[in-house]
Amino acid sequence: PILYIIIIQLIIGSLHAIHPSWFEDIIIIYTKKANSISHRVTGTFGNPYDYGIFMIFSFILSAYYAIKVRSKIIYYLFALFCLLAVLLSQSKIALYIVITAIMYALLFGIIHSRTKFKNLMLTIFFISSVLTFSYIYKDNLISYYNLNLTYLASTDSLNLENLYNKSLESRNRLDDLKWVVNRLSESSVLNMMLGVEIG
């Protein structure tokens, strides 16, 4: 059942990204108009952050089955499409999490493998291939990034003053974060590791 849910989310997400004219009236049921216009893929979640996080879960699940199951190719494809869906959600937090998850998985795979050297070479080959591919097609990738991933490419969303004035919700979040940082700066190492009070 989870696999079917992932397929449905990938199909709806792909349609949202491609943005055919007949789909505009349908996607507005699931998401805000701003997301529809900016092509921030949300699937049926209504929020690109939620869609991005769900796709991270889907990516990790697909990658796990790609390693464990015999008919690996289908799960590798699922993992690739889920990874693309994370990017198309244009959620910065989802992007940071998925990059961290990949780096953790590669490191974990090397450390806990019986064939450490082989896995290290495969990891170096994989990273080199991605970097080489990115360099060869950098102009196309940059052009696509600037034209289609406008929210992710914008620097406005990183401006703290703009974020603070954007909405009451953003202001409250930043105030909470400021409170935690201030309390942590006054705390011991143990508090830093375990958290400050209920915060």
Side-chain angles (χ1 to χ4, degrees):
I2 292 171
L3 196 61
Y4 291 128
I5 291 167
I6 293 169
I7 292 167
I8 290 165
Q9 292 299 336
L10 283 171
I11 291 168
I12 292 172
S14 301
L15 286 169
H16 194 164
I18 297 164
H19 218 69
S21 56
W22 59 267
F23 191 67
E24 286 181 19
D25 295 331
I26 298 170
I27 197 60
I28 207 72
I29 297 167
Y30 297 109
T31 191
K32 298 172 192 170
K33 194 171 182 180
N35 293 331
S36 177
I37 293 165
S38 67
H39 298 254
R40 295 190 70 196
V41 174
T42 59
T44 59
F45 284 88
N47 190 317
Y49 307 111
D50 298 332
Y51 182 75
I53 298 299
F54 176 78
M55 280 300 147
I56 291 171
F57 162 76
S58 305
F59 165 70
I60 292 169
L61 186 70
S62 302
Y64 172 80
Y65 278 111
I67 294 163
K68 292 288 180 185
V69 179
R70 284 185 181 179
S71 56
K72 293 181 177 184
I73 189 71
I74 189 74
Y75 291 107
Y76 276 120
L77 287 171
F78 266 117
L80 180 64
F81 285 129
C82 291
L83 197 57
L84 288 171
V86 171
L87 185 63
L88 290 172
S89 73
Q90 300 189 56
S91 167
K92 290 182 178 75
I93 192 68
L95 189 63
Y96 299 149
I97 291 170
V98 83
I99 289 169
T100 306
I102 290 169
M103 297 310 292
Y104 174 80
L106 292 173
L107 187 64
F108 187 85
I110 292 165
I111 292 168
H112 291 277
S113 171
R114 289 176 185 173
T115 54
K116 286 184 174 66
F117 181 76
K118 183 184 171 185
N119 273 7
L120 179 62
M121 290 300 106
L122 283 170
T123 301
I124 291 168
F125 173 76
F126 170 73
I127 292 170
S128 302
S129 300
V130 170
L131 292 174
T132 305
F133 176 82
S134 301
Y135 182 75
I136 292 167
Y137 294 100
K138 69 177 185 294
D139 294 334
N140 293 352
L141 291 169
I142 290 167
S143 175
Y144 181 84
Y145 180 77
N146 288 328
L147 289 172
N148 296 298
L149 304 178
T150 50
Y151 181 83
L152 201 58
S154 73
T155 53
D156 287 347
S157 56
L158 295 173
N159 187 315
L160 283 178
E161 191 178 342
N162 286 352
L163 271 176
Y164 196 79
N165 296 323
K166 187 178 178 182
S167 68
L168 181 64
E169 183 186 2
S170 298
R171 200 173 302 137
N172 287 340
R173 285 182 181 182
L174 287 169
D175 285 339
D176 288 346
L177 182 62
K178 188 179 174 184
W179 180 86
V180 170
V181 169
N182 287 338
R183 292 304 294 269
L184 281 173
S185 66
E186 300 164 1
S187 299
S188 64
V189 176
L190 190 65
N191 278 137
M192 289 181 187
M193 290 170 63
L194 301 176
V196 180
E197 298 166 9
I198 194 72

